[in-house]
Amino acid sequence: MKGLVSTGWKGPVKFRMPTAENLVPIRLDIQFEGQRYKDAFTWNPSDPDNEVVIFAKRTVKDLKLPYAFVTQIAQSIQSQLSDFRAYEGQDMYTGEKIIPIKLDLRVNQTLIKDQFLWDLNNFESDPEEFARTLCKDLGVEDPEVGPAVAFAIREQLYEIAIQSVASARESRLSKKGRRGSDHGSASKASGLSMDLMKLFSFKSSVVRKRKDLDVYEPVVDLLTSEEVDALEAREERHAR
């Protein structure tokens, strides 16, 4: 499936998620008092901080977790929000950037693998809508798969947005140290593209030819209960 490609914004922009909704991907994996809580969801960084504690208390009550989990959950969310907010106000590098997104997920008994292109400068993109369309096209029936796909996309976009801040910082330093800033900007843009290719293990240009894209068809498998149990046991061993 093709990713979202459109005419994006150009020129410097302040750090944010490169999507229509500025939502932060939050991942929790907390072990406490012999119990484990794992979850992944998005959070609006503009929401009041007291909403974090309210969420933590509601989660602990709904899942019947020990009350001590409230502090653990709240602290983990606040820490990840603080990391995101530390970048706010900083410039992001912008330019013609079509980047690869890779999916390799297991949600319950559904295994889904895919890769496609995404326009990092399309600030109207909607990972949740894209995920719903993808699941519909692939005939995926598990309602938990779509949110997991959208979250995986947002996590990768977040990492690349952070790289874009570093690229913008390097570009400014480069311009201060040399005349001919156009050449410096082009050089840094090229450098970021190379970093992105390394990140996603692409050996050729990020913008791939149509005939190459056809090779990457999405794969969806339904696992048996035995296969799921074996995978979960393996994941549990790796987590220790």
Side-chain angles (χ1 to χ4, degrees):
M1 182 174 179
K2 306 298 188 294
L4 295 185
V5 180
S6 71
T7 56
W9 294 2
K10 295 182 180 181
V13 296
K14 297 301 181 182
F15 176 84
R16 56 158 290 153
M17 285 293 293
T19 54
E21 291 189 277
N22 187 38
L23 301 176
V24 184
I26 301 290
R27 187 178 289 277
L28 301 178
D29 187 354
I30 299 170
Q31 298 187 65
F32 194 69
E33 297 184 355
Q35 296 193 49
R36 187 177 187 183
Y37 167 61
K38 293 180 66 177
D39 202 359
F41 49 86
T42 57
W43 196 277
N44 189 331
S46 299
D47 284 350
D49 286 344
N50 68 322
E51 292 290 333
V52 172
V53 176
I54 294 172
F55 170 84
K57 289 181 176 178
R58 185 171 63 246
T59 299
V60 167
K61 180 180 178 181
D62 292 346
L63 299 180
K64 296 180 172 57
L65 294 169
Y67 191 77
F69 266 79
V70 171
T71 301
Q72 301 289 324
I73 292 172
Q75 287 180 346
S76 182
I77 295 173
Q78 287 285 20
S79 175
Q80 293 177 66
L81 289 175
S82 295
D83 290 343
F84 180 88
R85 289 166 177 161
Y87 291 101
E88 291 182 324
Q90 299 187 51
D91 285 340
M92 289 173 58
Y93 173 83
T94 57
E96 298 293 338
K97 288 207 297 296
I98 308 299
I99 55 99
I101 296 291
K102 297 181 72 173
L103 299 178
D104 189 353
L105 305 172
R106 181 185 65 82
V107 182
N108 300 323
Q109 291 183 269
T110 302
L111 187 68
I112 182 169
K113 296 183 180 183
D114 196 10
Q115 52 189 27
F116 43 83
L117 302 180
W118 197 279
D119 185 354
L120 194 63
N121 286 318
N122 180 8
F123 284 76
E124 298 302 318
S125 65
D126 186 339
E128 286 71 26
E129 178 62 29
F130 180 85
R132 285 191 291 270
T133 301
L134 177 66
C135 289
K136 181 179 179 181
D137 291 347
L138 298 179
V140 175
E141 297 181 355
D142 188 335
E144 295 184 24
V145 175
V149 168
F151 185 87
I153 294 172
R154 284 190 176 277
E155 272 196 321
Q156 294 177 59
L157 293 177
Y158 181 25
E159 290 298 321
I160 296 168
I162 291 173
Q163 288 191 20
S164 297
V165 171
S167 179
R169 188 182 302 119
E170 292 172 2
S171 181
R172 287 196 304 272
L173 292 174
S174 176
K175 288 179 181 180
K176 288 180 181 179
R178 70 175 72 173
R179 297 179 184 273
S181 59
D182 289 344
H183 173 73
S185 299
S187 175
K188 292 302 174 183
S190 175
L192 179 63
S193 295
M194 290 302 297
D195 288 342
L196 295 176
M197 281 188 279
K198 290 177 182 177
L199 178 64
F200 291 95
S201 301
F202 269 61
K203 295 181 179 179
S204 60
S205 172
V206 170
V207 182
R208 302 176 66 83
K209 297 178 182 179
R210 183 174 299 275
K211 66 181 180 65
D212 295 326
L213 286 173
D214 292 338
V215 175
Y216 300 105
E217 293 295 330
V219 175
V220 177
D221 285 329
L222 283 178
L223 305 178
T224 65
S225 297
E226 291 76 13
E227 289 172 326
V228 171
D229 290 342
L231 281 174
E232 289 180 345
R234 189 184 311 158
E235 291 169 0
E236 188 67 26
R237 287 196 299 271
H238 289 166
R240 291 172 184 171

